[in-house]
Amino acid sequence: MSEGFPQAARAALADTQLRRNLAGATATIRARRAAAVAECDDWQELRDAAEAIKTRTMARLPELLEMLETRVTEAGGTVHWARDAAEANAAVAAVAAAHGADEVIKVKSIATDEIGLNEALAARGVRAFETDLAELINQLGDDWSSHILVPAIHRNRSEIRRLFARTIAKGRPLTDAPEELAEAARVYLRERFLSVPMAVSGANFAIAETGAVCVVESEGNGRMCTTLPRVLVTVMGIEKLLPRWRDLEVFLQILPRSATGEPMSPYTSLWTGVHPGDGPEEFHLVILDNGRTDVLADELGRQALHCIRCSACLNVCPVYTRVGGHAYGSVYPGPIGAILTPQLKGLHAAPTLPFASTLCGACLEVCPVKIDIPSVLVHLRGRVVRETRGRVTREGVMMAAVAKAFGSRRRYERAQRLARLGHGPLADQVMGRWTAMRDLPEPPAQTFRSWWRERQG
Amino acid sequence: MITCLADTLFPRAGQATVTVLEHLGCDVVFPAEQTCCGQMHGNTGYRDDGLGLARRACRVFADAERVVCPSASCVGWLRETAPMLAAAAGDDALVAELRGLAPRMRELTELIIDDLGVEDVGASFPHTVTYHPTCHSLRGLHLGERPVRLLRAVRGLQLVPLPSAEECCGFGGTFALKNADVSMAMLADKVRCVGDSGAEVATAVDGSCLMQIGGALSRQRTGVRTMHLAEILAARE
């Protein structure tokens, strides 16, 4: 991140169009999710089950990943192990090169954004076309995702109409009507579906016991990509694994309801290896680590890997809904991004993100796999202070002084007296940037403890 | 346990807590050795300082039958967050001390409703009041309807709903200073909702959130004030 979250957020807060777009869109999805969840009498039981499945999976991950490799291979697929972004990108590029493909079409995938796949392919002369409508909007606008599920949530219809008018729908009349905008994208994308020989997808789930890969989406463009081209490459993080086929029973209920507020996603695609005459002739599965094993080593922080990318936490977060995704400086924004990004990329790369929260707990309340985001945030704040800062910082000195003052009754009472005069460690901590925007109460005539002392006589 | 914030800046909330408890027949003691529970340090990343102060609190209150505090966030810190951090730090002795404190520790409305079994504390407060459920009371301690039940029993009090009540006010401890701009954006919406409620008084069970909301209400000269719930429960107007 070139700048910290507070600075980026400050700029975002001043963007009135962004504020309006975000507030409207997140309120709509939030209401839809609440209604979809209210339909399920067993919602809390589903959450408990999802959490338990994820916890069990993480405990047996190496063994289950090897099972997945065996099943995918048996079904005619090829598995590639990638320790980091460079290895994953090289694996995808090698498949493209083997087929002489200079174009690929893509299913919406955050894992491929995480590893910078499009840029890596471009550097090797391969052009990647995003086919998810929102991803396409971002790609055409040379923009990037600001939401896990709704990557162009920061754009409204008028902005999209103007963008299409100068790119894929040049010279054609276009209004703000969603149908017209969708049609312009459809015309453009269908040509790609029918001509491009290779597709790249991410994965929502992969099933260890069968080797099946699952992608859930709303538009059907993902299914075009996973069925029409001759070659399909899927990039999945190691944490996307589920042990058993029947585990989907839980996750295919909680994901769509949490994500789009639907009982079921319009398109749920599942495929296992290759089948002659049906779908791609070649299937490659790239299994990506890219920092995830390090996250597993942190006993409290590792629950961040349970995330199924529903983005319910973004839509309820009072910080995200005001500043949007770009301020987080990562492909994973919002509360989940605030605990995932510093762990995946290293605390040094995103030291301000764990502090980008009031710990209000709205994220935990909606998380379908019960990730205790507030607790992980507090834990990571501690790691940032202990692991990334020099020995002496202004804040550290101040906090140490306050802790010392709180450490004994005598020092505390002295600090209270100073604070009432507007000096000393307590006053420094409390006043600071506070009074720029809010009043502080007049210091009371006496503290509680002096009142108590007098009262006791 | 009177929070360091109430002790220093909002003593009326502490005094009202004493008044209400004594009225309900409790034998109230204020151990003067208490300072701060460590929440600010712990939640800001200064884990060891925060846990040190939590340990201090455990010892100061070791002999109390019940430890009652008019702050949901301080109670949440000592009952939940501090034990989690102590366990992660491998400090089993502190985990044990905190486990000894937790079953005796109550937020004020928990003590009144759950332990004392009272809803009508005898208060009278003829004003229009709106209630802001703070994040730590709502999603942390799950206080539910407890504060509202107490308010409904207050004579003369007209309780009006707060729009978008469950949204955070933007305080978040040091968040209000580290991310002052986002904090203010959240606060602006909260203050607008307080205004829309038509209330004369906004109340809550956390002094820190009230300091945030009250700070903006005062700066904007809205003519609406904040009061800790304890102050309303102690009122005899």
Side-chain angles (χ1 to χ4, degrees), chain A residues 231-292:
Chain A
V231 183
L232 173 61
V233 182
T234 297
V235 180
M236 66 166 271
I238 54 173
E239 80 284 16
K240 294 288 170 179
L241 199 63
L242 293 175
R244 302 171 307 171
W245 176 261
R246 66 168 300 178
D247 295 331
L248 285 173
E249 172 196 349
V250 173
F251 288 92
L252 290 180
Q253 290 188 73
I254 58 166
L255 176 57
R257 286 181 194 271
S258 300
T260 51
E262 294 165 305
M264 188 181 176
S265 293
Y267 294 88
T268 301
S269 300
L270 282 143
W271 65 95
T272 310
V274 290
H275 298 273
D278 180 13
E281 294 157 23
E282 215 176 291
F283 171 59
H284 297 264
L285 181 63
V286 180
I287 300 178
L288 175 73
D289 187 326
N290 207 30
R292 287 162 174 74

Side-chain angles (χ1 to χ4, degrees), chain A residues 10 322 355 358 360 381 386 389 395 399 406-407 412 416 429 433 435 437-439 448-449 455, chain B residues 7-8 22 32 34-35 41 43 46 56 139 168 177-179 183-184 189 212 215 218-219:
Chain A
R10 186 192 179 101
R322 286 175 180 82
F355 297 90
T358 61
C360 86
R381 290 175 184 189
R386 291 193 299 278
R389 296 190 185 166
E395 183 192 279
M399 293 299 270
F406 285 155
Y412 169 75
Q416 269 189 322
Q429 269 299 319
R433 301 179 65 188
T435 48
M437 295 182 277
R438 323 160 181 87
D439 285 346
F448 173 82
R449 61 180 53 225
R455 191 170 178 263
Chain B
D7 182 10
T8 309
E22 288 182 343
Q34 64 181 287
T35 57
H41 283 85
N43 281 350
Y46 295 83
R56 197 173 182 284
R139 289 175 285 265
C168 179
L177 305 174
K178 285 172 177 284
N179 282 286
S183 174
M184 197 58 215
D189 289 339
Q212 162 95 340
S218 163
R219 174 65 56 93

Side-chain angles (χ1 to χ4, degrees), chain A residues 5-7 9-10 13 19 30 300 316 318-319 321-323 352 355-365 374-376 378-379 381-383 385-386 389 393 395-400 402-409 412-413 416 419-420 426 428-453 455-456, chain B residues 2-16 18-19 22 28-36 38 40-49 53 56 77 81 84-85 88 135-136 138-140 142 166-187 189-190 208 211-221:
Chain A
F5 180 83
Q7 295 75 31
R10 186 192 179 101
L13 288 170
R19 295 284 297 274
R30 205 158 60 213
L300 259 172
V316 298
V319 177
T321 54
R322 286 175 180 82
V323 306
T352 55
F355 297 90
S357 164
T358 61
L359 308 176
C360 86
C363 46
L364 167 59
E365 198 174 49
S375 290
V376 178
V378 171
H379 166 65
R381 290 175 184 189
R383 285 191 53 198
V385 169
R386 291 193 299 278
R389 296 190 185 166
T393 63
E395 183 192 279
V397 169
M398 204 124 74
M399 293 299 270
V402 177
K404 192 168 179 220
F406 285 155
S408 89
R409 174 182 170 184
Y412 169 75
E413 290 179 355
Q416 269 189 322
R420 289 165 48 71
L426 288 181
D428 288 345
Q429 269 299 319
V430 173
M431 283 158 83
R433 301 179 65 188
W434 182 269
T435 48
M437 295 182 277
R438 323 160 181 87
D439 285 346
L440 255 191
E442 289 291 312
Q446 60 180 168
T447 60
F448 173 82
R449 61 180 53 225
S450 73
W451 171 81
W452 178 265
R453 225 173 1 242
R455 191 170 178 263
Q456 299 304 101
Chain B
I2 298 301
T3 66
C4 54
L5 187 70
D7 182 10
T8 309
L9 274 180
F10 302 97
R12 282 199 312 239
Q15 292 160 5
V18 174
T19 305
E22 288 182 343
V28 181
V29 179
F30 174 79
E33 275 302 309
Q34 64 181 287
T35 57
C36 164
M40 179 184 79
H41 283 85
N43 281 350
T44 308
Y46 295 83
R47 182 187 70 185
D48 298 339
D49 286 333
L53 291 168
R56 197 173 182 284
W77 157 255
T81 315
M84 181 269 295
L85 289 180
C135 301
H136 282 91
L138 181 75
R139 289 175 285 265
H142 302 283
E166 298 187 354
E167 281 254 334
C168 179
C169 69
F171 177 66
T174 50
F175 176 88
L177 305 174
K178 285 172 177 284
N179 282 286
D181 297 290
V182 188
S183 174
M184 197 58 215
M186 292 162 68
L187 178 55
D189 289 339
K190 182 58 72 183
S208 50
M211 180 169 78
Q212 162 95 340
I213 298 168
L217 288 171
S218 163
R219 174 65 56 93
Q220 296 174 19
R221 311 296 191 263

Side-chain angles (χ1 to χ4, degrees), chain A residues 99-301:
Chain A
H99 291 272
D102 57 4
E103 291 184 340
V104 301
I105 47 176
K106 286 186 68 198
V107 184
K108 179 179 177 305
S109 152
I110 315 170
T112 60
D113 289 343
E114 177 191 323
I115 60 176
L117 178 67
N118 293 5
E119 295 75 16
L121 288 176
R124 292 166 169 90
V126 179
R127 187 169 169 197
F129 293 94
E130 295 290 348
T131 69
D132 175 82
L133 180 56
E135 293 283 8
L136 173 68
I137 291 164
N138 285 341
Q139 192 175 35
L140 292 172
D142 202 17
D143 198 356
W144 53 291
S145 171
S146 68
H147 188 281
I148 289 172
L149 185 80
V150 197
I153 195 167
H154 54 294
R155 298 276 173 230
N156 67 17
R157 287 178 210 167
S158 306
E159 293 173 278
I160 294 164
R161 190 241 312 143
R162 292 199 293 274
L163 173 67
F164 281 5
R166 65 167 197 269
T167 53
I168 58 174
K170 253 187 210 153
R172 263 175 282 162
L174 206 57
T175 72
D176 286 358
E179 300 76 18
E180 280 192 39
L181 297 174
E183 181 61 20
R186 188 176 292 121
V187 167
Y188 171 78
L189 288 173
R190 292 256 154 129
E191 287 169 27
R192 304 290 162 317
F193 292 138
L194 294 171
S195 63
V196 177
M198 173 169 157
V200 179
S201 86
N204 288 103
F205 310 104
I207 309 299
E209 72 173 3
T210 69
V213 175
C214 179
V215 164
V216 180
E217 42 126 11
S218 296
E219 297 168 358
N221 293 339
R223 177 158 303 167
M224 292 282 198
C225 293
T226 59
T227 51
L228 283 172
R230 288 201 312 279
V231 183
L232 173 61
V233 182
T234 297
V235 180
M236 66 166 271
I238 54 173
E239 80 284 16
K240 294 288 170 179
L241 199 63
L242 293 175
R244 302 171 307 171
W245 176 261
R246 66 168 300 178
D247 295 331
L248 285 173
E249 172 196 349
V250 173
F251 288 92
L252 290 180
Q253 290 188 73
I254 58 166
L255 176 57
R257 286 181 194 271
S258 300
T260 51
E262 294 165 305
M264 188 181 176
S265 293
Y267 294 88
T268 301
S269 300
L270 282 143
W271 65 95
T272 310
V274 290
H275 298 273
D278 180 13
E281 294 157 23
E282 215 176 291
F283 171 59
H284 297 264
L285 181 63
V286 180
I287 300 178
L288 175 73
D289 187 326
N290 207 30
R292 287 162 174 74
T293 306
D294 295 337
V295 183
L296 277 174
D298 183 325
E299 220 168 298
L300 259 172

